[in-house]
Amino acid sequence: MNNRANFGSKLGVILASAGSAVGLGNIWRFPFETGNHGGAAFILIYLCCVLVLGLPIMMAEFMIGRRSRANTAGAYRLLSKGTPWKWVGRLGVLSGFLILSYYCIVAGWTLEYIVQAATGSLAGQDAEGFIHTFNTFVSNPWRPVLWLFVFMLLTHFVIVKGVEKGIERSSKILMPLLFILLLVLAGCSISLPNASEGLRFLLQPDFSKVDSQVLLGAMGQAFFSLSLGMGCLCTYASYFRNDTNLPRTAFNVAMIDTIVAILAGLIIFPAAFSVGIQPDKGPSLLFITLPNVFQQAFGSMPLLATLLSLLFYILLALAALTSTISLHEVVTAYLHEEFQLSRTKAARLVTSGCITLGILCSLSLGIGKEYTLFGLTLFDLFDTTTAKIMLPLGGLFIALFAGWYLDKQIVWEEASNHGTLKVHTYRLLLFALRYVAPVCITLIFLDQLEVFG
Ligand code: PFF
């Protein structure tokens, strides 16, 4: 018998996993990656990545986590005693730590925008004004750091509260609320003048723009958005109950995550095109177009504009929080279980480490802009290295581990809950893990290295 914590209900399982998946990756990162990579063709490739790589690898993480009932590094250590596979888990912990360090900066920005919305500072500005507001804020050495600090403390608080009370309860309320607000905003954005140009950008693929960057970008975005490749869902699955239906949970989480990303696209692009903002504005896109949507759509009703923008930034912050919690949990569970630290002490170490790295990343957008490596600021370097290299690499190893190394009996027992569920896709799953995912990920990496000329 083990006495690890468990999620209390089926809905809790889905919402906590979806809470990890849905976050800034969908609402902030997906639109700017889509904008950078030319629109609809990127989205189609992204959808293929979710289906062909995301779903099977999510299943693999679920199976490994629930079977081992351990943190991600412990999971590989237990399931493959004395082999180098344990490094897959450790790579995941490192990825989680690095992602959390820059993710909480953007999460902090949402807090600044909550304050700006609440104090009415966003009212009455035009597109140029919003660009100026954002640039001034981000390059200020203090304010973003202050918010990053606040956000990490919030995350720390939930983590210390534990799995069921902290993680599960918060996800159950926040996820549905966010979804409804996104629907309303998509409706507003689509009804703005000239919105059709944005819809065309989203829906009419131009495959002539597809190159190795687009493929790598779409793959990285799929891993990032679904929280895959670093053992995050593996860690959550270690708290799943034995009767949790893994294939159904994986399908639901991937569906929810994809719908939210598409909704975010439907909000951002019609709005951006409507006021003539370039869709390739990068990380600032969400923070410039969104206040504009509120201004344009509800300018004549300032109170409603203020209320809706306030609600949006609160929900965005909360969506980010359910993701930072999951990132933090990966590293905390690792330190707690592998080094026998108390949960509180482990959490403290993670929080302070991330704040320190986070401060450096945040400064790299302002006063430290000149310090670059491979032409990237520290912030961009962390984002690119984790999403486009570490997560897909982690995903490749996870697929190989579940497809080739793990005993087939274990895979079958976990996928079918010891034969009590009918899993029609079992063969397909094995095929995807053994061949499709490893081959696709390797080809995309090789293409990036220009091996094919
Ligand atoms: N999936 C989250 C998002 O889309 O915002 C980010 C994330 C969380 C990435 C957890 C990786 C992870 F393990």
Side-chain angles (χ1 to χ4, degrees), residues 1-6 68-69 242:
M1 267 304 274
N2 71 58
N3 56 0
R4 286 181 101 239
N6 262 329
S68 62
R69 298 246 173 252
N242 287 334

Side-chain angles (χ1 to χ4, degrees), residues 26-315:
N26 310 60
I27 303 169
W28 162 72
R29 199 175 188 282
F30 176 77
F32 90 70
E33 281 286 293
T34 304
N36 279 343
H37 292 121
F42 173 88
I43 296 185
L44 277 182
I45 298 170
Y46 170 77
L47 293 177
C48 290
C49 288
V50 170
L51 210 66
V52 174
L53 307 175
L55 267 174
I57 292 176
M58 193 183 295
M59 266 304 285
E61 288 210 22
F62 281 169
M63 295 188 295
I64 295 166
R66 188 172 67 178
R67 184 67 177 202
S68 62
R69 298 246 173 252
N71 69 88
T72 182
Y76 292 90
R77 190 174 43 71
L78 290 169
L79 294 176
S80 61
K81 288 202 173 80
T83 68
W85 283 108
K86 58 177 175 287
W87 287 99
V88 178
R90 292 178 183 169
L91 174 75
V93 175
L94 178 66
S95 310
F97 182 69
L98 295 179
I99 294 177
L100 184 57
S101 303
Y102 78 88
Y103 194 93
C104 62
I105 300 171
V106 186
W109 297 349
T110 64
L111 298 182
E112 163 79 14
Y113 273 73
I114 290 177
V115 173
Q116 295 223 13
T119 53
S121 326
L122 296 177
Q125 295 190 36
D126 58 5
E128 281 307 310
F130 289 123
I131 294 175
H132 179 73
T133 305
F134 179 79
N135 289 339
T136 317
F137 162 65
V138 170
S139 50
N140 179 310
W142 298 111
R143 280 183 83 92
V145 168
L146 170 80
W147 289 126
L148 133 77
F149 195 77
V150 175
F151 209 93
M152 279 309 297
L153 289 188
L154 284 174
T155 309
H156 183 89
F157 178 74
V158 182
I159 286 291
V160 171
K161 274 233 158 238
V163 174
E164 192 176 341
K165 281 206 187 94
I167 301 178
E168 183 173 348
R169 222 178 263 174
S170 43
S171 310
K172 265 187 182 167
I173 308 169
L174 306 178
M175 293 296 301
L177 210 59
L178 177 73
F179 194 71
I180 295 171
L181 191 69
L182 288 175
L183 273 179
V184 173
L185 286 178
C188 295
S189 186
I190 292 172
S191 60
L192 291 174
N194 267 340
S196 55
E197 224 180 302
L199 287 177
R200 206 166 310 126
F201 181 77
L202 263 185
L203 302 173
Q204 248 178 33
D206 174 3
F207 286 103
S208 66
K209 294 210 180 100
V210 175
D211 58 10
S212 72
Q213 286 298 329
V214 174
L215 291 177
L216 186 72
M219 174 168 77
Q221 177 59 25
F223 277 99
F224 188 90
S225 188
L226 294 169
S227 304
L228 290 178
M230 51 154 279
C232 177
L233 294 182
C234 171
T235 306
Y236 268 23
S238 73
Y239 309 122
F240 284 5
R241 295 163 4 158
N242 287 334
D243 63 354
T244 300
N245 183 331
L246 299 186
R248 186 177 301 161
T249 306
F251 182 77
N252 286 338
V253 171
M255 275 281 286
I256 296 173
D257 190 71
T258 306
I259 292 173
V260 172
I262 301 288
L263 272 179
L266 285 175
I267 296 172
I268 301 296
F269 291 108
F273 278 89
S274 165
V275 286
I277 291 174
Q278 287 306 309
D280 60 357
K281 266 257 161 284
S284 59
L285 189 63
L286 173 74
F287 293 89
I288 294 170
T289 35
L290 231 261
N292 236 313
V293 179
F294 295 115
Q295 196 54 38
Q296 300 273 329
F298 306 103
S300 55
M301 295 171 278
L303 188 63
L304 186 63
T306 301
L307 270 180
L308 277 181
S309 52
L310 186 61
L311 191 61
F312 176 78
Y313 285 114
I314 291 177
L315 286 176

